[in-house]
Amino acid sequence: MTRPITLVTGGSRGIGAATSLRLARDGHDVALSYVRDKDAAQRTAEAVIAAGARCVVLRGDTSQEADVERMFDSVQEQLGPLTGLVNNAGVTGPFGPLAEARTEDLRRIVDVNVLGVLLCCRRAARDMAQTGGAVVNVSSAAATLGSPGDYVHYAASKAAVDTLTVGLSKELGPAGIRVNAVAPGIIDTEIHATGGDPDRAERMAGGVPLRRAGQAEEIAAAIAWLLSADASYTTGTVLRVAGGR
Ligand code: NAP
């Protein structure tokens, strides 16, 4: 049987790295992308290869059209026709109320979290048009919570991801392309430190109904299921994996 070939954007660290490894264990060949942290990308690739998968590491900023096109071309050349896409690359920017946010941070969030997902989805729609495939977008529970005081701009960008997931699933369903999203809650990754609040996951754990932050592997499991044959009749859904939040 041919192995699925899946691109995980932002596969170097956090949820993307856990997803890359999980997919390798599930029998996928994996292309993982990064934008800055080459060492982390290489470490994840080594783990993916050790799990028995073929793996390519690609540098590319998902908010840049030329980078996205080059990444998809490289997957095709090095691994073969793409069957799966995980739009995981995302940024929060500094935490704080909208009144204090800088325009450049707002723009970056929209560029990476919305435009980047659209550019990758567009290319996947073209590449998978004849063969079918599956796309999983990584949204956030913030999309429905709104995240006042933290990052309403980030929450809004993830609500856009939910909406494009629903619309695209209807647009691409007839071509045999399933499109779903996973909406994680508070997950223990470096994204909180990058946003300027390294203790955020630990501090907020008490307010989660399950009384803890989630682990990246718990999000990877949901993504892997949505990409699998077990989810063959599932499309247009946003699967919340947020400990009850
Ligand atoms: P993370 O640990 O900060 O990792 C982010 C990943 O995205 C890294 O691999 C990073 O690459 C990559 N990346 C960032 N900007 C990129 C760009 N412009 N182009 C390509 N790659 C880029 O984040 P995470 O917590 O795993 O988050 C992954 C996704 O889950 C994001 O979409 C985030 O919004 C979402 N999410 C996270 C949480 C949470 O609590 N952690 C909750 C809800 C949703 P480098 O290694 O090169 O920097």
Side-chain angles (χ1 to χ4, degrees):
M1 211 178 94
T2 53
R3 294 167 66 90
I5 295 171
T6 303
L7 168 61
V8 182
T9 67
S12 46
R13 296 183 289 114
I15 291 168
T19 301
S20 297
L21 189 52
R22 170 63 191 253
L23 293 178
R25 289 178 178 146
D26 285 1
H28 295 238
D29 288 330
V30 177
L32 65 89
S33 82
Y34 72 101
V35 68
R36 267 178 305 270
D37 197 339
K38 187 176 184 182
D39 290 347
Q42 290 296 354
R43 278 196 300 277
T44 304
E46 282 165 21
V48 165
I49 290 164
R54 292 188 299 156
C55 183
V56 295
V57 175
L58 305 168
R59 190 189 172 281
D61 183 335
T62 52
S63 71
Q64 300 297 318
E65 180 179 8
D67 285 16
V68 168
E69 294 299 320
R70 191 176 33 75
M71 278 195 306
F72 278 77
D73 289 346
S74 297
V75 177
Q76 167 80 36
E77 285 161 18
Q78 296 184 51
L79 293 178
L82 190 74
T83 62
L85 167 66
V86 181
N87 278 310
N88 166 77
V91 291
T92 62
F95 296 101
L98 184 62
E100 292 172 13
R102 298 182 308 173
T103 306
E104 65 211 73
D105 292 326
L106 301 180
R107 201 182 297 284
R108 186 72 189 146
I109 283 164
V110 174
D111 278 354
V112 177
N113 295 1
V114 184
L115 180 63
V117 175
L118 287 168
L119 291 174
C120 291
C121 281
R122 182 179 68 177
R123 177 62 192 259
R126 292 171 178 167
D127 286 1
M128 295 175 180
Q130 306 305 324
T131 54
V135 175
V136 178
N137 297 321
V138 181
S139 174
S140 172
T144 54
L145 294 170
S147 304
D150 269 352
Y151 40 38
V152 295
H153 36 297
Y154 169 83
S157 75
K158 293 298 189 178
V161 170
D162 288 0
T163 301
L164 76 87
T165 298
V166 172
L168 208 52
S169 72
K170 293 174 180 170
E171 198 168 293
L172 300 181
I177 304 171
R178 297 184 299 104
V179 185
N180 292 289
V182 170
I186 297 162
I187 310 302
D188 189 10
T189 71
E190 291 167 1
I191 203 168
H192 311 291
T194 307
D197 189 356
D199 301 327
R200 184 167 183 269
E202 196 182 311
R203 192 178 64 251
M204 294 186 74
V208 177
L210 287 184
R211 294 288 184 269
R212 64 176 177 84
Q215 296 302 309
E217 291 73 18
E218 295 175 292
I219 306 306
I223 294 170
W225 178 73
L226 285 168
L227 287 175
S228 77
D230 284 345
S232 53
Y233 201 56
T234 304
T235 195
T237 197
V238 179
L239 177 56
R240 197 178 189 86
V241 186
R245 211 165 161 255

